[in-house]
């Protein structure tokens, strides 16, 4: 299992690799990821880290956008409860993630694709574990392929429209005012 | 794409970092790939981007190709962002038009697979390239620096830091939890390797603190709250009541003599409980300030209110005040030096050594007091029954280098144990057996000291002690403590009967280090010592600007290293104060007024009360002085009308788009 984590994204058709976007807070988790590097820990190359000052900056839209743009998993890393550099930003992240879990399920996205972890600046090894765990979990869930899913929906709507001749969706003009 | 400064022209620079990055990531391919991205005019790879030629490369390109955005794919931005921002600024573009991509710590150093690591590097560069399109010119924010410095902890680290800062003419507050400054060092008898008396070298420095015109010394006090930011910290200090007025007490000790307890009855904490003291006491002869203190847990008056108060009557200056209350003092300082020290390893945690079970098992700290002329026995080394030990075993690495307790080497115990071997030999003439794993004598004059002790007819046995017990196998072991050890140099398991066992206990973080860390908004490393900003190049600054650490609270170290780090922390604090200002990231949030719907959902979210609601305009307002730039409100605004400089929505959305663009 550990071996499969380390394989690259190049290769044949069966070589699908999970794509993980991570939002790490500047003070704790990003620094821990730096420490993991300095300590030469090895983890799955599937993660792409985006630095924010605080996990509280992570807008739920960032997470949804990442899934929409093709991410198979999203990892959010913040300081431990009580340790936030900005007092309580991580608690806000926690609430947003709880909200996102519900939203994701409604959208048909497995909530296991989103993970929130508390990693302090000294816990380089927890970065390794968190990235590997989420990568592995997402690998088991398979590709999310949200773009493709919507393409299918769009096609269905199109077919329906063609047959019923009455548009189901509001016109573009109306939509822009919503 | 926005066209704020005309068209966006990006230069991308991929660093080899010698072989650090280039051995795992195909840096050339990454640079080639960058050339295909929108807005990229130049893309290069270079051996060391942070070197002067590397920076010049960027500066020349900026001028020659009229670049206005720079992406540097190298190491962590926490390391070199400042370098490249400054280079860009020198070439005439705004310093915040630079974005770094972390290819080293987050790439080459954590991956082996060249193809996967290169693919990841390309994605990250893609994200940064799309991101910089949205970067706006910003100005760093300058905050003024209050010149006053707070030093927390009055051990040798805090004392040295306080004197150094005060000598430069800046006001210093020294806050110490105990009734006297001096810390652990005040308890030592002699110091290795020179064997000069700890009190003789420390006392003058303690006096210097007390008499320094720039130092306000608050003993028996604790920092309870720190607010504010670099240069402008607001600190609350709790001053515990000592029931004796510092301004009146002259340390004559008439009150101690007069106390209704004719004999000392309570454990003397300075002597690790090996003798007794009265409820009213001076911690030790050289205590600074030389002001007595009353222990509220022991004093009859404070416990029951029914004492004839002989001490108060004996004080001709009227210095005793049983009604003294705890006070909270508020001070404002620009920098904080945390020097809260260590605690010795609690030897009862290692039950195999019998501390607390066999009365004649001592810790090294207890021996320091026992051999000291002002110690519990006046410097007479005797066992708890009053007899002189004829044989002594010294056990090294107690609580250190042990997976069950602390994994680290405490650095000073070998030398402490050698020193105590010498002193015990000198005081008792006993046979001394040292049980060590490795002899760590790295330090000026340390190896020479070890050689000296080797020639003092002291025994050395290499092996980790398995057990200290009183189970005699033959008459020679009767009534003795038996040390069981494998002598790894001869390959035999040995039993050595001794009268006294000394455990060279290690150093560990103080029990409340986590609490202090939270108050100071610092981090701890995994073993619990305070975390420095960089393990090599910034071992006194922390990730919190304006907060510095010195001494054993950062990690185990000897007195010379402690003093050096304290001086370094003081120099950093002084440099900060002398600069007069500090530049902070302009990453604060602001409200786009036209878009704000006045829903107020952001107002309560701000942990710093930076957001208020303007009832006239019916809009939220952010005070840029109070805003710390976390972005919590930005993420919460339903109408997207709060923007955070450096972390705007567009910047992050484009980064997401970029890192996921390659299918």
């Amino acid at each position: 299992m550990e071996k499969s984590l380390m394989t690259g994204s190049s290769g044949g058709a069966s070589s699908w690799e999970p794509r993980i976007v991570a939002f790490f807070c500047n003070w704790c988790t990003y620094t821990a990821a730096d420490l993991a590097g300095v300590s030469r820990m090895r983890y799955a190359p599937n993660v792409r880290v985006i630095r924010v000052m605080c996990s509280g900056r992570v807008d739920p839209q960032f997470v949804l956008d990442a899934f929409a743009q093709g991410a198979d998993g999203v990892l959010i890393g913040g300081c431990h409860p009580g340790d936030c550099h900005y007092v309580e930003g991580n608690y806000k992240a926690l609430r947003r993630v709880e909200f996102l879990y519900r939203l994701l399920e409604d959208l048909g996205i497995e909530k296991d694709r989103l993970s929130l972890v508390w990693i302090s600046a000294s816990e380089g090894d927890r970065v390794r574990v968190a990235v590997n765990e989420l990568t592995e979990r997402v690998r088991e869930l398979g590709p999310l392929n949200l773009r493709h899913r919507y393409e299918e929906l769009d096609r269905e709507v199109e077919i329906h429209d063609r047959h019923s001749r009455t548009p189901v969706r509001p016109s573009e003009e109306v939509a822009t005012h919503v | 794409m926005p066209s704020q400064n005309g068209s966006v022209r990006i230069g991308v620079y991929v660093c080899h970092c010698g072989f650090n990055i280039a051995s795992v990531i195909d840096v050339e391919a990454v640079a080639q790939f960058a050339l295909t991205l929108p807005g990229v005019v130049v893309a290069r790879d270079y051996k060391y981007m942070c070197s002067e030629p590397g920076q010049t490369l960027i500066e020349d390109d900026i001028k020659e190709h009229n670049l206005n955005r720079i992406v540097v794919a190298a190491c962590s931005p926490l390391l070199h962002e400042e370098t490249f921002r400054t280079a860009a600024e020198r070439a005439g573009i705004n310093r915040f038009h630079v974005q770094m991509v972390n290819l080293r710590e987050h790439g080459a150093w954590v991956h082996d697979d060249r193809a996967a690591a290169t693919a990841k590097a390309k994605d990250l560069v893609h994200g940064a390239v799309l991101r910089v399109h949205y970067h706006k010119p910003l100005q760093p924010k300058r905050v003024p620096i209050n010149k006053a410095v707070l030093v927390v902890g009055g051990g040798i680290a805090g004392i040295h830091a306080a004197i150094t800062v005060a000598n430069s003419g800046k006001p210093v507050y020294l806050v110490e939890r105990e009734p006297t400054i001096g810390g652990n060092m005040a308890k030592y008898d002699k110091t290795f390797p020179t064997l000069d008396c700890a009190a003789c070298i420390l006392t003058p420095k303690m006096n210097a603190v007390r008499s320094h015109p720039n130092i306000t010394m608050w003993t028996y006090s604790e920092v309870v709250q720190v607010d504010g930011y670099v240069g402008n910290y607001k600190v609350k200090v709790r001053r515990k009541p000592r029931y004796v007025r510092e301004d009146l007490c002259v340390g004559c000790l008439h009150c101690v003599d007069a106390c209704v307890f004719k004999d000392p009855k309570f454990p003397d904490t300075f002597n690790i409980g090996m003798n007794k003291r009265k409820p009213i006491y001076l911690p030790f002869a050289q205590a600074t300030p030389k002001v007595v203190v009353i222990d509220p847990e022991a004093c009859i008056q404070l416990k029951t209110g029914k004492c004839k108060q002989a001490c108060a009557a004996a004080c001709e200056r009227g210095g005793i005040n049983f009604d003294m209350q705890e006070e909270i003092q508020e001070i404002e300082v620009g920098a904080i030096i945390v020097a809260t020290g260590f605690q010795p390893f609690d030897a009862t945690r290692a039950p195999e050594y019998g501390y607390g079970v066999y009365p004649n098992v001592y810790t090294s700290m207890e021996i320091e007091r026992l051999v000291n002329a002002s110690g519990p026995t006046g410097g007479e080394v005797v066992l708890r029954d009053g007899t002189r030990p004829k044989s002594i075993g010294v056990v090294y690495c107690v609580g250190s280098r042990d997976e069950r307790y602390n994994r680290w080497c405490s650095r000073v115990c070998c030398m402490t144990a050698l020193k105590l071997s010498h002193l015990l030999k000198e005081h008792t003439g006993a046979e001394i057996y040292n049980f060590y794993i490795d002899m760590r004598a790295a330090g000026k004059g340390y190896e020479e000291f070890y050689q000296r002790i080797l020639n003092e007819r002291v025994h050395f046995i290499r092996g980790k002690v398995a057990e200290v017990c009183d189970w005699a196998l033959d008459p020679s072991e009767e009534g003795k403590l038996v040390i069981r050890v494998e002598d790894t140099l001869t390959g035999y398991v040995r039993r050595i009967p001794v009268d006294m066992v000394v455990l060279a206990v290690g150093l560990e973080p103080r029990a409340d280090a986590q609490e202090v860390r939270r108050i100071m908004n610092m981090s701890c490393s995994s073993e619990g010592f305070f975390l420095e900003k960089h393990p090599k190049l910034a071992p006194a600054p922390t990730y919190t600007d304006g907060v510095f650490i010195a001494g054993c609270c950062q990690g185990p170290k000897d007195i010379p290293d402690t003093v050096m780090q304290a001086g370094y922390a003081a120099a950093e604090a002084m440099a900060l104060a002398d600069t007069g200002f500090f530049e902070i990231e302009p990453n604060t949030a602001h409200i786009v007024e036209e878009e704000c719907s006045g829903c107020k959902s952001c107002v309560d979210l701000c942990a710093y009360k930076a957001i208020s609601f303007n009832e006239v305009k019916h809009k939220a307002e952010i005070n840029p002085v109070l805003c710390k730039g976390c972005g919590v409100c930005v993420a919460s605004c339903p109408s997207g009308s709060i923007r955070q400089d450096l972390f705007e929505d567009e910047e992050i959305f484009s980064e997401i788009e970029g890192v996921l663009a390659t299918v």
Side-chain angles (χ1 to χ4, degrees), chain B residues 115-176:
Chain B
T118 304
K120 176 175 175 177
K122 287 179 181 173
D123 286 351
L124 292 174
V125 167
H126 200 151
V129 165
L130 297 196
R131 191 190 206 275
V132 290
H133 279 87
Y134 294 95
H135 279 211
K136 289 181 185 148
L138 298 166
Q139 290 310 313
K141 288 171 55 165
R142 279 189 170 192
V143 294
I145 302 290
N146 183 328
K147 286 197 188 305
V149 174
L150 166 68
V151 178
V152 186
I156 181 58
I159 289 173
H160 186 75
I163 295 174
T164 310
V165 176
N167 282 347
S168 76
K170 292 161 190 69
V172 175
Y173 296 92
L174 177 62
V175 174
E176 164 59 47

Side-chain angles (χ1 to χ4, degrees), chain A residues 49-117:
Chain A
V49 177
I50 292 176
R51 184 172 68 106
V52 286
M53 293 311 284
C54 178
S55 55
R57 173 68 183 95
V58 180
D59 191 324
Q61 291 189 75
F62 296 167
V63 176
L64 297 175
D65 190 59
F67 283 127
Q69 301 275 349
D72 301 299
V74 173
L75 179 63
I76 302 173
C79 310
H80 284 272
D83 289 356
C84 179
H85 190 84
Y86 300 105
V87 188
E88 52 189 29
N90 50 358
Y91 289 103
K92 269 105 181 179
L94 176 64
R95 287 193 177 176
R96 287 179 188 139
V97 165
E98 289 298 327
F99 155 74
L100 273 165
Y101 281 150
R102 282 187 283 162
L103 191 67
L104 291 177
E105 297 235 296
D106 288 349
L107 289 169
I109 300 171
E110 299 89 340
K111 62 182 249 202
D112 278 353
R113 292 182 184 275
L114 172 64
S115 176
L116 171 67
V117 288

Side-chain angles (χ1 to χ4, degrees), chain B residues 331-613:
Chain B
I331 52 172
E332 294 186 3
V333 297
I336 301 173
I337 297 172
V338 181
T340 48
F342 69 94
Q343 67 182 31
F345 173 76
D346 173 7
T348 59
R349 283 174 59 202
E352 64 271 26
Y353 296 142
Y355 181 77
V357 177
Y358 308 120
N360 293 329
V361 177
Y362 294 80
T363 66
S364 43
M365 211 63 178
E366 287 171 331
I367 300 299
E368 294 278 1
R369 295 312 304 149
L370 210 53
V371 296
N372 190 277
S374 64
T377 56
E380 190 80 5
V381 178
V382 287
L383 297 167
R384 307 230 197 228
D385 64 2
T387 59
R388 269 193 168 213
K390 292 191 182 64
S391 52
I392 301 171
V394 184
V395 182
Y396 289 50
C397 293
V398 175
S400 307
R401 306 179 69 201
D402 191 323
E403 296 209 343
R404 293 167 301 169
Y405 314 115
N406 298 324
R407 297 173 74 107
W408 59 86
C409 167
S410 295
R411 284 188 59 192
V412 295
C413 342
C414 281
M415 298 308 293
T416 302
L418 287 173
K419 173 191 74 180
L420 293 177
S421 296
H422 168 87
L423 295 174
L424 287 168
K425 186 86 186 168
E426 194 178 71
H427 279 64
T428 64
E431 287 297 324
I432 313 257
Y433 301 90
N434 285 275
F435 302 91
Y436 67 103
I437 309 177
D438 300 293
M439 185 59 67
R440 299 204 164 162
K444 193 173 180 181
Y446 289 12
E447 180 65 22
E448 295 90 323
F449 184 68
Y450 172 39
Q451 294 300 329
R452 174 181 165 185
I453 307 301
L454 279 175
N455 291 324
E456 286 186 354
R457 306 181 65 81
V458 172
H459 307 279
F460 284 87
I461 294 160
R462 201 188 81 177
K464 190 172 166 72
V465 171
E467 190 184 23
V468 174
C469 65
D470 63 352
W471 186 40
L473 284 186
D474 63 60
S476 73
E477 295 177 357
E478 220 54 78
K480 304 255 185 187
L481 291 166
V482 179
I483 294 173
R484 298 210 306 136
V485 62
E486 182 192 357
D487 183 336
T488 57
L489 293 180
T490 62
Y492 288 105
V493 174
R494 298 177 66 177
R495 295 171 60 89
I496 297 178
V498 292
D499 296 324
M500 175 191 245
V501 172
V502 180
L503 305 178
V505 289
L507 276 49
E508 58 183 22
R510 283 198 183 270
D512 61 349
Q514 292 290 334
E515 217 172 294
V516 174
R517 171 182 71 80
R518 281 189 186 163
I519 291 173
M520 302 293 167
N521 205 355
M522 294 189 290
S523 297
C524 279
S525 33
S526 53
E527 72 281 2
F529 292 109
F530 298 144
L531 184 67
E532 63 284 342
K533 193 167 190 175
H534 192 277
K536 285 124 200 161
L537 302 180
T542 66
Y543 282 104
T544 306
D545 291 319
V547 176
F548 307 96
I549 46 180
C552 289
C553 65
Q554 183 255 342
K557 53 180 70 66
D558 54 19
I559 295 168
D561 282 4
T562 296
V563 170
M564 280 189 268
Q565 196 180 22
Y568 164 41
E572 290 277 353
M574 281 149 54
L576 185 66
D578 283 342
T579 312
F581 64 87
F582 188 80
E583 287 194 345
I584 53 173
E585 287 276 284
N587 57 12
T588 47
H590 55 94
I591 295 198
V592 181
E593 221 174 67
E594 319 64 271
E595 288 168 20
C596 174
S597 67
C599 74
K600 300 186 191 175
S601 58
C602 57
V603 177
D604 290 334
L605 284 180
C606 182
Y608 304 101
K609 299 185 173 63
I611 311 180
S612 56
F613 191 72

